Amino acid sequence: MLPDISTVKGPYLDDLLFQPRALSDTLANLKSLPDLHPSKYSRIVLTGMGGSFHALHPLHLQLIGHGFTSLMAETSELVYSMPGLLDSRSLLIVVSQSGRSAETLRLLDARGRGVTTIGITNTADSPLASRADATVLTHAGPEYSVSSKTVLAALMALTWVGDCLCGKDLAQTRSELEQTAPAAALYLRRWDHHVAILFSVLQGARHFFFAGRGASLAAAGVGGLIVKEATHAHSEGMSSAAFRHGPFEMLSPEVFVLVFGGDPATAALNEALVEDIRNAGGRACLAATDSDPEPFRLPEVPSPVRPIVEMLPCQMMSLALAAMAGREPGKFERITKVTTTE
């Protein structure tokens, strides 16, 4: 007997269905950054925690491709283990939905003199928003628990920041970003159909992995995180290559792997991973524009904004797995929305 799909209804699902509006509102409020002259910096340091950290992967790769020295570090590690990265020649980009988590506050106090800071946050009156040299606000609205719509909005903001720093035509950027809200709305319109299909696809699986390469590492990392948070199931996100270095040994019918097709340059490698997992006795599906089953079929959007829509199948999996476990999806029992202890 399949789970009752009505059990997933609640504030977490409401947040997911609000995502097209969150993207539209964020885009409507994006403005050009002050001229920070990025070429004057010896390094650009990207930092965040949880989903905010994983969302930095596409920007990190874009900056490296444009010739910048870009470094990613979790905020707590940056404060306690890598403070030497921050000096007057550093451009610091901080992502924090609340703008007031314990790690963010510590970083704002600990950063060296003259460290230019760009803050990306969903909270206009937060310490990050008020203390950064430049702030990009997302407009996702209040969020119930698991970071979902705030991650999509942050990815949009980070795309904008990257194109500003790299001198891209912002009219083209806006045109690309404008396609994300309709694409997400089209996908989410069939959320109940997606979840119903996933009841069968995921039946009997106990361990879940999300794997990708390049910019798809954002979805892989966030996917592993939200399934843990929203469903209490064991899940991990990693690169497709890393999955072969250890986790491949775990393969059995109880292991399900969602692999993101990603950039055409490495798509064949990701497709091969799916086949190899299946041949080894595991279960795997590819998330791409031509995939089956339908929940893993991504909407068609320009390549630079693909990481935004890659999040959607992960969210549908979290709904299905919570219902299958008899849990309210996204309900926190041991943590809070804003982390106040490092």
Side-chain angles (χ1 to χ4, degrees):
M1 181 177 176
L2 294 178
D4 180 2
I5 200 168
S6 67
T7 61
V8 306
K9 293 182 179 179
Y12 176 58
L13 175 60
D14 292 343
D15 280 345
L16 300 187
L17 297 181
F18 188 80
Q19 289 177 126
R21 173 70 181 275
L23 290 169
S24 294
D25 288 351
T26 296
L27 179 59
N29 286 278
L30 290 176
K31 299 177 177 62
S32 297
L33 292 174
D35 191 352
L36 298 173
H37 304 289
S39 60
K40 76 178 184 181
Y41 300 104
S42 62
R43 67 183 71 88
I44 301 177
V45 181
L46 313 179
T47 191
M49 295 296 298
S52 296
F53 175 76
H54 296 303
L56 289 163
H57 278 290
L59 173 60
H60 175 57
L61 295 174
Q62 180 186 10
L63 293 173
I64 290 173
H66 204 72
F68 293 111
T69 298
S70 174
L71 303 168
M72 280 180 63
E74 288 186 338
T75 308
S76 186
E77 290 300 305
L78 182 59
V79 170
Y80 291 107
S81 303
M82 311 176 203
L85 290 178
L86 301 179
D87 57 30
S88 60
R89 294 275 291 159
S90 304
L91 175 61
L92 175 64
I93 300 179
V94 185
V95 184
S96 171
Q97 176 267 321
S98 70
R100 55 170 55 93
S101 64
E103 299 89 355
T104 300
L105 295 178
R106 179 73 70 176
L107 176 63
L108 291 172
D109 291 337
R111 59 186 168 155
R113 288 183 177 274
V115 177
T116 303
T117 303
I118 300 174
I120 292 92
T121 181
N122 195 52
T123 312
D125 62 352
S126 66
L128 176 58
S130 63
R131 296 172 63 181
D133 297 286
T135 300
V136 180
L137 290 174
T138 57
H139 292 261
E143 191 167 57
Y144 169 62
S145 59
V146 177
S147 295
S148 53
K149 59 183 180 177
T150 54
V151 172
L152 266 65
L155 279 166
M156 173 172 279
L158 288 166
T159 301
W160 181 260
V161 168
D163 286 0
C164 287
L165 294 177
C166 294
K168 187 174 176 179
D169 178 1
L170 294 182
Q172 179 182 343
T173 302
R174 191 172 291 276
S175 175
E176 292 170 347
L177 291 172
E178 282 174 346
Q179 299 181 50
T180 61
L186 183 65
Y187 179 93
L188 291 168
R189 193 172 300 150
R190 291 172 60 80
W191 73 266
D192 50 348
H193 183 69
H194 298 322
V195 173
I197 292 173
L198 289 171
F199 286 156
S200 297
V201 173
L202 304 176
Q203 192 69 41
R206 296 181 57 246
H207 307 284
F208 303 91
F209 291 88
F210 298 83
R213 297 171 186 266
S216 297
L217 285 171
V222 172
L225 183 62
I226 67 171
V227 166
K228 284 192 281 276
E229 287 186 320
T231 76
H232 293 205
H234 169 240
S235 64
E236 302 294 338
M238 61 186 63
S239 74
S240 296
F243 185 84
R244 295 184 181 273
H245 290 257
F248 202 91
E249 186 63 24
M250 291 179 59
L251 288 175
S252 77
E254 293 187 330
V255 175
F256 179 88
V257 187
L258 181 62
V259 182
F260 296 94
D263 189 87
T266 54
L269 292 172
N270 293 320
E271 292 166 5
L273 177 61
V274 171
E275 289 305 310
D276 290 347
I277 290 169
R278 292 172 176 171
N279 291 337
R283 296 153 66 180
C285 287
L286 188 74
T289 55
D290 56 353
S291 292
D292 283 314
E294 186 180 335
F296 302 132
R297 191 177 307 146
L298 300 177
E300 295 265 8
V301 293
S303 177
V305 297
R306 183 178 59 240
I308 294 175
V309 299
E310 285 181 327
M311 301 291 171
L312 302 174
C314 308
Q315 297 169 352
M316 296 299 103
M317 284 180 61
S318 73
L319 291 173
L321 290 170
M324 293 164 70
R327 309 190 68 90
E328 176 189 333
K331 183 179 180 180
F332 287 161
E333 297 177 7
R334 296 171 181 83
I335 62 176
T336 56
K337 180 62 179 167
V338 181
T339 303
T340 57
T341 303
E342 293 178 83

